[in-house]
Amino acid sequence: MVTSKKISDFFQYTSIGATLILPLFLTHFRGIADGLISYVAICFILNCLINKEWEWTKQTWVMLMFAWWGWLLICTIPFGSFSGYATNGSFLQAIGIVRFLFFIIALQQWVLKEAKYRRWLAYVIIFCTVYILLNMLAQLIIGYNILGMPRYLDGTLTGPYEHPRAAAPLSRILLPVTLAGCAYLLWEYKKPKGQIYTLLCLLFVIGMMVLAGQRMPFVLFVFGLAIATIWLKYLRVVALAALVAIPMLILVTAFTSPESFNHLVTHFIDQMSHFSSSPYGLVYVRAFVMGIMNPWAGLGYDAFKHACGNPIYFHGWPFWDPSSGNGGGAIICLTHPHNHYLQIFIDAGIPGLLLFILTICSLLIELTKGLTITVTTKNQAIQKAWCVGLFAAVFIHEWPLSSTSSFFNMPLGGWFFLLLGMGLAYSWDYQTTIKERESRDV
């Protein structure tokens, strides 16, 4: 006889399996990855209905997250269409993004509740990280990756892809992997050998990010390493030494990989010298104008994609000056404004933006719980470093002064939700352990 417990167990174990293979499909076949995320979200909801487990709804970040999503739905209703072909967004698509919210909660409360599943997932993420790095190394040494694809047209390393999109996910997943590796080296080997090995490890990963030739992922990765030293004090001296060596690493690429140097440095300097008239500058101005002209309810989900070409928003900088031009017209329009906060501002106005900011702040606070513990063993040090890396990855992903993909875009969005959910699972486990310890003491 099929009981509710058997059904619940089936949902849980298949969801665990789906989560464990998710990094593989985020690396390749992102459509399947989206399907796996949806499956885990649906199974979690069904499990909650069967077992009547709703305690997770009392968490502050959960309430804020659903308040933001609810407001986005309200903002989308006037402009959306159940057919999905509306001019200014799609109500059905806005409803569909709830799968990502439930996926995050499912990882925290259900899928990664046991330490062994978190450990197994970490191994899969490490495998994917090494896989991307090996493909980049192959392109650097022999000119082709493992799959036979050459470097991109401008010489940047594309990893296992045809186009240069490896650096963005690598900058996120490389943080927990690198920090855990550094913790292992520092605890496994005594000074100064451990520090030398750690420095070489940092120089290698920083060097690979430099050779990737993507400016924003490189800057965010280095920023993430700096953030990590807030909790990993033993890493500060080595990280500082690696930071000092970065200009030298970049200079070396001018000779070893001129195309990467040109993309990372020369093109960056040229772009920043006239940023307001650059493609990014024009897109940001357009996005700001769209938000300012619709400050309270925005234009609904995916508004930039559908409304950017409306002539009413054709303004240059400063946008209040009638003589500032048309801001590039419709030619500059893309599918998203390349900044999460501008994207939310356009979609849901100022209230939606404030709810989104509060949600991100609440999540970051949640992720910090357990990062201040004092470690006494190598395994504890590695786990703490991994958790700090997860926090750093989430932090840099939502750093407001950065160029990004769409917030819900796969596969980068999938990596973000996966790392976020994993970090929340570690934080929840820490809080649960503390509560159990306190109850025993009483």
Side-chain angles (χ1 to χ4, degrees), residues 72 75-76 78-81 83-94 286-287 290 294 298-314 329-330 332-337 343 346-347 406:
L72 177 61
C75 294
T76 307
F79 307 100
S81 166
S83 64
Y85 296 102
T87 304
N88 292 335
S90 170
F91 188 63
L92 283 181
Q93 287 180 324
R286 178 68 54 81
M290 292 172 67
N294 303 276
L299 290 166
Y301 177 75
D302 217 9
F304 192 82
K305 176 181 178 180
H306 300 291
C308 174
N310 191 330
I312 195 175
Y313 304 122
F314 291 1
I332 69 164
C333 290
L334 303 168
T335 56
H336 56 85
Q343 179 184 351
I346 299 168
D347 288 357
S406 173

Side-chain angles (χ1 to χ4, degrees), residues 74-327:
I74 293 172
C75 294
T76 307
I77 289 173
F79 307 100
S81 166
F82 285 97
S83 64
Y85 296 102
T87 304
N88 292 335
S90 170
F91 188 63
L92 283 181
Q93 287 180 324
I95 292 175
I97 64 175
V98 75
R99 67 190 184 278
F100 298 118
L101 313 188
F102 279 117
F103 174 72
I104 296 169
I105 302 167
L107 295 190
Q108 182 208 35
Q109 295 284 317
W110 189 51
V111 176
L112 300 179
K113 204 168 184 179
E114 293 187 35
K116 63 178 180 180
Y117 298 131
R118 296 194 295 270
R119 187 168 59 252
W120 293 355
L121 180 59
Y123 292 150
V124 181
I125 293 174
I126 292 170
F127 171 81
C128 293
T129 305
V130 173
Y131 170 73
I132 295 174
L133 287 173
L134 286 177
N135 275 276
M136 293 173 68
L137 277 174
Q139 284 183 325
L140 176 65
I141 297 170
I142 63 176
Y144 294 86
N145 64 18
I146 297 172
L147 304 175
M149 299 174 186
R151 289 186 175 196
Y152 195 59
L153 300 175
D154 59 6
T156 55
L157 303 180
T158 62
Y161 309 112
E162 185 177 356
H163 299 283
R165 60 184 184 89
L170 189 61
S171 65
R172 277 68 167 176
I173 61 178
L174 196 55
L175 280 168
V177 173
T178 299
L179 293 172
C182 289
Y184 171 82
L185 292 171
L186 286 171
W187 278 76
E188 182 69 18
Y189 302 98
K190 296 181 179 179
K191 297 180 181 180
K193 185 183 293 186
Q195 291 181 318
I196 294 173
Y197 289 162
T198 302
L199 178 60
L200 291 174
C201 175
L202 287 177
L203 291 177
F204 169 74
V205 295
I206 292 173
M208 294 306 298
M209 290 302 300
V210 170
L211 291 169
Q214 299 295 301
R215 299 179 296 275
M216 189 53 65
F218 167 69
V219 171
L220 290 176
F221 176 73
V222 174
F223 185 33
L225 288 177
I227 292 296
T229 59
I230 295 175
W231 292 280
L232 305 178
K233 296 180 180 179
Y234 56 81
L235 197 61
R236 290 176 181 175
V237 175
V238 181
L240 181 61
L243 185 66
V244 172
I246 288 177
M248 186 63 68
L249 289 173
I250 295 175
L251 183 62
V252 169
T253 61
F255 303 97
T256 60
S257 182
E259 299 90 348
S260 298
F261 178 84
N262 180 65
H263 202 272
L264 192 67
V265 179
T266 308
H267 187 215
F268 173 74
I269 294 173
D270 177 65
Q271 190 176 65
M272 294 305 295
S273 63
H274 51 85
F275 182 76
S276 61
S277 60
S278 69
Y280 276 113
L282 293 172
V283 167
Y284 289 156
V285 170
R286 178 68 54 81
F288 190 68
V289 169
M290 292 172 67
I292 287 295
M293 294 182 69
N294 303 276
W296 303 117
L299 290 166
Y301 177 75
D302 217 9
F304 192 82
K305 176 181 178 180
H306 300 291
C308 174
N310 191 330
I312 195 175
Y313 304 122
F314 291 1
H315 294 276
W317 183 261
F319 63 87
W320 57 83
D321 185 356
S323 63
S324 61
N326 68 352

